Amino acid sequence: MFCADRLKVARHRRKLTGKELAAAAGVTDVTVSKVENGHQPDDVTVDKFAKALGYPRAFFLMDRPEVLEPKAVSFRSLKKMKAAERNASLAAGSNGIALYQWIDAQFNLPAPDLIDLSREQGRPEVAARLLRQHWGLGDRPIGNILRLFESKGIRVLSLTENTDNVDAYSFWHADHPYVFLNQRKTAERSNFDAAHELGHLVLHFHAQAESMPEDDAERQANQFASAFLMPDADLKSLLAHIYSSSQIIKAKIRWKVSAMALATRLHQIGMLSDWSYRSIIIDLGQRGYRTGEPLGVERETSTLLPKVFAALWSKGITKSDIASDLNLPWDEVETLVFGLTGPVSARPQRPSLSLVETKVE
């Protein structure tokens, strides 16, 4: 049976309207509408859709995919997002779930270790401190936030949408937390986005914040991220007197955050006066730190996915083979892990897996 939801997923990934798909496939607008509403197309029409969308024919004949509803997903900067961008990102989430379900069948992945902190929605800083305590982090800097996430069962994937409007998003599916990060951002801003999405996952547990005004949920997630990445005790012990943007630029490396984020956090906890904060923000902007991070840190990558792919490669299984098993175009799998796995130049020996234990020998 042809699956209408799979046609929608593929169309959304290609950012096509129904009318645009009809033109590309050489069918009528009515045909697209009828098929997406459950009408079974003939074989010729199926082939036209597959060719126009660049998806294998078999993709459309599989069972219904995991379809993400907008209200179940915490988007960063939803107001800036166009409908096509939102739908493409949600469709990427559907493909991401399929990828991890495939990986789950091959490996024992870390179980989720998050706590429901929805009762602390009004106190995001307290929530950040409670999660740090739960994870035994103390007040030290996080280090590699993606490694931390994956060790706690958070499934991290990438967004490579050609837009700055889609920063990041997160959701829970089948009791597993997912975070998608846009790789166009600076490393520092991507770290903050990751912590922001962590705030959504624990504060707005299973999208319980859907009735909350978006601005309130975003503000809470921002406050959580700031406190989680930059604990006030650590800041106060190391930064006794801050009076210049140069100090901010030098100090931010410790917490792997943007200069603007560090200045804002210091102002929030009373370590910068209103006057000093305004002066520093103006100077940072003039130095290019409002739109970028001239002296940036190295972008973090996944530690789990390279081990997964290396172990598979040692068995002769490539990302192209995974795409074939999922009936996805290879570029869709690559998009989900883009920049997260790093280059693999030669067939490796089977690695020692500290986060991943293979099920298949």
Side-chain angles (χ1 to χ4, degrees):
M1 296 285 288
F2 186 90
C3 179
D5 285 324
R6 288 191 174 276
L7 180 60
K8 292 177 185 177
V9 166
R11 177 169 68 79
H12 288 160
R13 283 301 300 145
R14 301 312 189 202
K15 296 183 181 177
L16 296 177
T17 64
K19 185 175 182 178
E20 290 168 340
L21 173 57
V27 300
T28 66
D29 299 0
V30 173
T31 296
V32 173
S33 178
K34 288 173 65 176
V35 172
E36 289 197 349
N37 281 285
H39 178 78
Q40 286 294 303
D42 58 33
D43 288 344
V44 173
T45 303
V46 174
D47 288 338
K48 288 181 177 180
F49 285 146
K51 182 177 180 181
L53 293 166
Y55 269 66
R57 187 180 193 277
F59 175 81
F60 303 99
L61 305 179
M62 298 169 67
D63 292 339
R64 185 177 185 272
E66 303 294 344
V67 177
L68 296 175
E69 297 295 334
K71 65 180 181 180
V73 175
S74 295
F75 276 107
R76 187 140 162 72
S77 305
L78 181 58
K79 289 182 177 179
K80 298 187 299 182
M81 202 178 306
K82 298 176 182 177
E85 294 170 337
R86 181 200 66 193
N87 291 338
S89 298
L90 290 172
S94 178
N95 289 341
I97 291 172
L99 173 61
Y100 256 107
Q101 287 175 337
W102 189 95
I103 293 173
D104 262 335
Q106 316 299 322
F107 299 92
N108 294 319
L109 303 183
D113 184 23
L114 278 70
I115 50 178
D116 184 352
L117 294 168
S118 55
R119 292 184 179 180
E120 305 297 340
Q121 287 178 2
R123 302 189 301 168
E125 292 208 14
V126 172
R129 187 163 60 249
L130 290 174
L131 186 59
R132 273 182 159 270
Q133 290 174 355
H134 178 69
W135 285 349
L137 300 177
D139 292 319
R140 67 180 186 273
I142 295 299
N144 188 320
I145 194 168
L146 297 191
R147 179 173 59 199
L148 174 65
F149 276 23
E150 290 174 332
S151 73
K152 303 303 180 182
I154 300 174
R155 298 172 171 199
V156 181
L157 292 166
S158 66
L159 284 168
T160 53
E161 309 305 310
N162 189 27
T163 176
D164 292 325
N165 292 336
V166 185
D167 294 329
Y169 71 89
S170 59
F171 59 88
W172 285 85
H173 176 77
D175 293 326
H176 291 291
Y178 288 78
V179 170
F180 283 69
L181 298 172
N182 192 326
Q183 299 298 290
R184 287 166 55 93
K185 304 286 287 292
T186 66
E188 291 87 347
R189 283 168 170 76
S190 186
N191 290 343
F192 194 92
D193 283 348
H196 176 102
E197 295 308 322
L198 177 61
H200 281 307
L201 290 171
V202 296
L203 287 171
H204 313 136
F205 206 68
H206 291 279
Q208 290 178 4
E210 61 186 68
S211 60
M212 179 187 300
E214 180 192 340
D215 288 345
D216 289 348
E218 290 299 293
R219 175 181 51 78
Q220 291 172 4
N222 276 336
Q223 291 175 353
F224 174 95
S226 186
F228 185 78
L229 293 173
M230 298 168 278
D232 56 356
D234 196 35
L235 293 172
K236 291 174 180 177
S237 67
L238 291 166
L239 302 176
H241 303 289
I242 294 293
Y243 51 84
S244 72
S245 57
S246 295
Q247 289 176 290
I248 297 287
I249 293 168
K250 181 179 179 181
K252 75 183 183 70
I253 297 172
R254 175 176 173 82
W255 296 279
K256 295 186 178 180
V257 296
S258 69
M260 291 288 188
L262 178 54
T264 299
R265 176 64 173 156
L266 292 172
H267 181 239
Q268 287 172 342
I269 63 176
M271 293 182 66
L272 280 179
S273 67
D274 292 346
W275 184 88
S276 295
Y277 175 64
R278 284 194 297 269
S279 299
I280 287 174
I281 289 297
I282 290 171
D283 190 46
L284 287 174
Q286 292 173 343
R287 293 184 182 212
Y289 283 90
R290 185 172 296 280
T291 56
E293 216 63 34
L295 297 175
V297 300
E298 184 177 353
R299 181 177 296 280
E300 295 178 1
T301 58
S302 166
T303 56
L304 184 147
L305 290 174
K307 292 176 181 178
V308 165
F309 291 130
L312 292 171
W313 197 5
S314 71
K315 298 176 180 294
I317 300 171
T318 67
K319 282 184 277 189
S320 294
D321 295 322
I322 299 173
S324 179
D325 279 356
L326 295 173
N327 289 313
L328 284 172
W330 179 86
D331 65 284
E332 286 293 343
V333 173
E334 186 64 21
T335 291
L336 292 168
V337 301
F338 178 78
L340 292 175
T341 58
V344 179
S345 57
R347 182 178 294 274
Q349 296 296 316
R350 180 167 177 167
S352 173
L353 304 181
S354 58
L355 290 179
V356 185
E357 179 183 345
T358 185
K359 292 178 180 177
V360 183
E361 296 294 335

